[in-house]
Amino acid sequence: MDIFAVVAADRDNAEPDHQRDWTLDFTGVVPRDLWLINKRSLEGFEQQEALHSYYGLTILLVGALTPFAFTLLLFFPLLPTLFARLRPYVVYPSTFGGRHVQPLPHGIGNAPTMGQGMYIVFFVILNVICSAVGHNSVQPNAFYKNTREEIMLYVANCTGVIAFALLPLVILFAGRNNFLLWITNWSHATYLLFHRHVARIFMVHCIVHSIVEIELYRSQGLAVEQMRLSYWVWGVVGTVMACALVVFSARLFRRLTYEVFLVLHILMAILLLVGCWYHVELLFKRRWGYEFWLYAAFAVWIFDRAARLLRLAQTGPLRAEMQELGSSGVVRIDIPGVRWSLHPGHHAYISWPGLSWWRTFGSHPFSVIPLSHCQHPDDEVESAITAPSTGSGRTSPTLAVITDLEKAVSKIRSIPLHTRPLIRPGVRLYVKKHKGITSRLGSARNILTLLEGPYRNHSVGVAPNAGVLACDRLILLAGGIGITGVASWIRAHTNVKLYWSVRECGRALLEDVQQSGLLEPLSRLGRLEVNVTGSGQRRRDLTDTIEHDVVDALHDSLVKGVKVGVISCGSPEFCDSVRSGVVDIGRRVGGLVELHYIEEAFGW
Ligand SMILES: Cc1cc2nc3c(=O)[nH]c(=O)nc-3n(C[C@H](O)[C@H](O)[C@H](O)COP(=O)(O)OP(=O)(O)OC[C@H]3O[C@@H](n4cnc5c(N)ncnc54)[C@H](O)[C@@H]3O)c2cc1C
C-alpha cells in the first residue's frame, strides 16, 4: 500500500483505478493506523537494507583481513613461538588422510590443510549467520501480507547483497597481483584454494537468492509476470554462470586442457558480472547502491589485469634458448636479458606464442633461477671489451683507457670465479614436458618468449623475525623436477642442506643441474645429498631425513631452542610425505625445535 492509497482511503470520491495519477490538491488526514503501518514497514525495510550492507561489509573485510590479522600477530612478542608450537597440530596437517597436494579419491579435489580448513569453516559459519540472523518481521506490513513473505524478502535481499560482497573477494583470491600476497605470509596456493571455496559459498548465496525470490513471487501470484522481465533473465544468467563456473572448475575439467578451461572460465566470469550488473541496473536503476559491490569487483579484476600487462610490457618480447636434456623429458630454457631482483620462491608465467597460437591465451607458471647462479667455475669469461685497431702504431687516448681496462680484466680473471659474481642477466627454467604446451618444447634457439613476473609463492620477508629465513637451518627436499622450486633458496641462507631424489630416468637433469654450478655452494661444503632411485638405491625415507637433520641442528646449537625451516618441492606424493614428516617430528620435538614448513608444490 503506498501513500496515494493512504490518502485515497480518506477521500470520499476516491477513484481506485486512477490513484497514481492524482494531484494532491486538497488537505486530508491520513488515518493514524495506516500511517503507522507504512512508517513501520518502511523503517523495518530500511533497517534490513542497512543490516545487509553491514553483513556484506563484515564478510568482505573479515575474508580479506583475516590473513592480514594473523600475519600482524607475528610481530608481537612470544606469539611467533606459540604459533610455531601449535602449527604441527592445527595448521600443517592435512584434513584428509595426509593428502593435500595429492587429489582426493576419484579426483574430486584437494583437501585443505587444518589451517586452511579452519579459515574455510569459520567463513562458512560467518556466511550462514549473516544470511540467517537479524531478519525481524514487522507486521502488519504495508508491503507483505504475512511474516513468511516478509522474511522471504529479507532473506532473498540479504543473500543477494552478500553474494555481491563476495565477488571482489573471489576475484582478489584468484589474482596473480593479489595485494594480500604482498602483506601477509599466506601462500599463493592458499589463496587459490580460498578462491575456489569462497566461489562455492558465492554460488550457494546465488541459488538461495534465486529459489527464495521464485517462491516469494509464486506465493504472490507474480512469478510468471516477473520471469518475463529482463532484470529476471539477467539474474538467471548470473546464477547459471555461478553454478557453471563452480562445476567446470572441478579438478577433472581443469586437468583436461588448461587453455580451454581458462578461456571458458574467463568468458563465464564476464557473463556472470554482466548478468549481475543488469540484474540490479534494470531493477533498481542505481538507486540502492548495490552497484558499488560490482564496482569493487571490477576494480580488483582490472587492477590485476593491468598489473599483468605492465609486467609483460616491462620485460617485452624475449628470445629463449632451449635444450632438451636427454630422455629425461625435461627441457632447459635460458632466457637472457631479464634483470629481475629475484627472491626465493619466485616464479614467472610464460608463454611461447610461436609454438601454438591458440595456447597463447594461457601462460604457465615456472620457477625461475637467475642465470648468474648457474655459472660454473670452469666457465670461460668472454671479455666484453675489444680493443679497436687504430691502424697506426700510436695508441689513441681512448685506446689507452681500454688497454688499462683490459689489464684490469686480466687481473680480475686471475681471481677464482666462484669468489666473485659474474654479470649474466637472465633466467633459467627447467621444464618437465606434459601433454599441453610443454609437449611442444624441444632443443631450439631464438624462440619468442613472453615472460610475466616475477611472482612470489610466499612473502617470506613479511614477518622477518618469524619467517622461514629467520630459521637457524634450512632443509631443502626436492623430488625430480622439484629442484627448480628449491634452487633459489640455496643462496638465500647460510646454513642450507639439500636432499634431492631423482629417478634414474632423470639422470640427464641431474647432470645438467650439477654442471650448471647451481648446487656448487652446497656440494663444496658437503651439504648436498643426491639419491638416484630406480638404480638399486633405496628410496629415501623423508621423515627420517628431516629427523636426522633436526637432531643434527640440535647438536650444533649452542643455545636452547632451535628453529629449522623445511622447504619441499616435488610430486604431490613427495610433498605430502614431507608434510606428514614435518607434522610428526614437529609434534615430537615441539619444546626443543621450532619447525617451519613451506611447500613449493606445483599443484593449483
Ligand atoms: C608456482 C608453480 C611453479 C612451477 N614451476 C615449475 C617448474 O619449474 N618446472 C616445471 O616443469 N613445472 C613447473 N610447474 C608446473 C607447470 O606449470 C605445469 O607442469 C605446466 O603448466 C604444464 O603445462 P602443460 O600445458 O604441458 O600441461 P598439461 O599437460 O595440460 O597438464 C599437466 C599438469 O600441469 C597442470 N597445469 C597445466 N597448466 C597449468 C597452469 N597454468 N598452472 C598450474 N598448473 C598447470 C595441469 O593441471 C596438470 O596437472 C609449476 C607450477 C606452479 C604452480
Side-chain angles (χ1 to χ4, degrees), residues 176 188 192 251 254-259 330 345-349 359 362-368 429-439 457 481-482 484-485 569 600-604:
R176 292 178 189 174
H188 185 47
L192 276 183
R251 201 171 179 279
R254 287 205 318 266
R255 285 184 64 92
L256 284 180
T257 313
Y258 173 73
E259 285 77 7
V330 175
H346 261 147
H347 63 276
Y349 290 84
R359 285 185 196 269
S363 47
H364 293 254
F366 295 100
S367 309
V368 284
L429 329 168
Y430 284 98
V431 176
K432 179 135 184 86
K433 288 165 66 159
H434 286 278
K435 293 199 193 98
I437 184 74
T438 53
S439 65
N457 283 340
I481 189 69
T484 59
C569 187
E600 297 280 13
F602 293 164
W604 62 305

